């Protein structure tokens, strides 16, 4: 069930406003985690909620249960289901697209492309993931 998305004419301003709003907001499951950031970025740019009626999971265990309940092995499977196949190369990702990366503990996380880096929530606010760390990328609109 991949979403057919079209970016709004003012998507760059909307995405920039979201990045600025989250700039100093610390990571918190269910309110400011990588999934919430991805979901809110897509909604800001397109007006579409990829998970209508679904409350963001509030813990690592809740995320694991959400993924399993939907038949997804990890967040990369989830992104393929909601946005379609990954781009052939992460270098094809453009501003506003979604990328995955692996944390030091080997878990996959999501970030939203801002240029040569992608933003994701961290302990003190947005952290920037360099392009060389991107594993997969999905086009948004």
């Amino acid at each position: 069930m991949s979403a057919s998305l079209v970016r709004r004419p003012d998507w760059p301003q909307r995405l920039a406003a979201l990045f600025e709003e989250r700039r100093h907001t610390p990571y918190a499951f269910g309110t400011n985690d990588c999934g919430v950031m991805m979901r809110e970025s897509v909604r800001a740019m397109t007006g579409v909620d990829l998970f209508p009626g679904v409350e963001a999971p509030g813990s690592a265990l809740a995320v694991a249960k959400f993924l399993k309940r939907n038949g997804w092995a990890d967040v990369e499977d989830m992104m393929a289901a909601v946005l379609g196949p990954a781009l052939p190369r992460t270098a094809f990702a453009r501003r506003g697209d979604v990328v995955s990366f692996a944390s030091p503990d080997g878990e996959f996380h999501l970030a939203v492309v801002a240029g040569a880096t992608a933003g994701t929530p961290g302990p003190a606010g947005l952290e920037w993931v360099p392009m060389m760390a991107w594993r997969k990328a999905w086009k948004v609109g």
Side-chain angles (χ1 to χ4, degrees):
M1 144 194 128
S2 65
S4 178
L5 303 173
V6 176
R7 293 187 189 200
R8 297 171 170 177
D10 62 345
W11 74 263
Q13 295 86 356
R14 290 173 175 271
L15 183 60
L18 181 62
F19 279 164
E20 184 57 33
E21 175 188 314
R22 297 300 174 105
R23 186 175 173 192
H24 298 294
T25 305
Y27 181 99
F29 268 114
T31 58
N32 193 42
D33 58 42
C34 68
V36 169
M37 180 74 182
M38 175 277 299
R39 183 179 183 180
E40 290 186 6
S41 295
V42 170
R43 185 175 19 219
M45 292 184 296
T46 68
V48 174
D49 183 352
L50 294 177
F51 303 99
V54 175
E55 188 173 322
S59 69
L61 179 59
V63 169
K65 288 180 178 179
F66 172 75
L67 293 171
K68 184 174 182 170
R69 184 171 53 249
N70 286 285
W72 302 318
D74 53 40
V75 295
E76 291 180 341
D77 282 352
M78 177 186 73
M79 294 313 301
V82 298
L83 290 180
L87 295 169
R89 295 182 49 193
T90 58
F92 294 160
R94 298 294 175 249
R95 187 171 173 220
D97 290 342
V98 177
V99 297
S100 64
F101 65 98
S103 64
D105 62 6
E107 289 186 0
F108 299 153
H109 296 275
L110 302 172
V112 179
V113 177
T117 61
T120 194
L126 280 183
E127 292 185 352
W128 301 100
V129 181
M131 187 182 295
M132 69 178 136
W134 301 352
R135 286 181 35 88
K136 293 185 178 181
W138 296 268
K139 183 169 178 49
V140 176

